[in-house]
Amino acid sequence: LRFPQKLWKMLESSKFQSVWWSEGGKCVAINKDLFEAEVLGREGQQVFHTQKIKSFMRQLNAYGFTKMQRNFQRSASLPEFLAEEAAASAHSQILYYYNPSFNRAHPWLLEMCKRK
């Protein structure tokens, strides 16, 4: 399988907790630390041909995925602001990637995910 098919299969599997569909199936969400341990750190059963998150991200970029920034609305009150900061910090380990040809609702577009 090519990289996009492997990623799709992983997203559809219940075996992995570190990667999932977000934004209604339009983005790939990756918990960076958990992904490194759960997917890239697998001994003898590698899903991808790398053990480094940077190499995995280069593969995403090579297939036309772009990193999405999460924008949080900030509250004016100090207690709410501090709570939102804590949530954003926990969220910072989550990476979001988008590719218009990689959409859960349109699996036939997967064939258009080509390496640049």
Side-chain angles (χ1 to χ4, degrees):
L1 294 174
R2 292 178 330 145
F3 179 84
Q5 283 89 357
K6 287 180 187 179
L7 183 58
W8 186 285
K9 213 171 167 182
M10 181 180 280
L11 289 163
E12 293 295 315
S13 168
S14 60
K15 292 180 190 175
F16 300 97
Q17 303 302 308
S18 60
V19 61
W20 63 93
W21 291 105
S22 72
E23 303 296 329
K26 294 180 182 174
C27 287
V28 176
I30 302 165
N31 180 316
K32 185 177 171 251
D33 291 340
L34 186 56
F35 187 81
E36 286 179 297
E38 182 183 57
V39 178
L40 302 178
R42 294 178 120 199
E43 294 287 327
Q45 298 179 357
Q46 283 186 316
V47 178
F48 301 103
H49 297 290
T50 186
Q51 293 180 324
K52 297 180 180 167
I53 192 73
K54 291 219 183 263
S55 296
F56 176 78
M57 288 191 246
R58 275 195 291 277
Q59 283 290 310
L60 286 168
N61 292 329
Y63 280 93
F65 285 83
T66 55
K67 189 172 182 182
M68 305 297 291
Q69 298 299 320
R70 305 304 287 171
N71 296 325
F72 292 95
Q73 295 291 331
R74 297 295 185 210
S75 181
S77 80
L78 182 60
E80 287 179 22
F81 177 81
L82 293 174
E84 290 166 1
E85 278 297 304
S89 174
H91 235 273
S92 68
Q93 287 300 313
I94 311 291
L95 307 172
Y96 296 91
Y97 283 89
Y98 170 77
N99 181 324
S101 299
F102 199 86
N103 186 317
R104 188 177 197 181
H106 307 291
W108 58 88
L109 291 176
L110 190 58
E111 289 303 313
M112 297 177 70
C113 280
K114 304 273 189 216
R115 189 173 177 90
K116 291 182 187 176

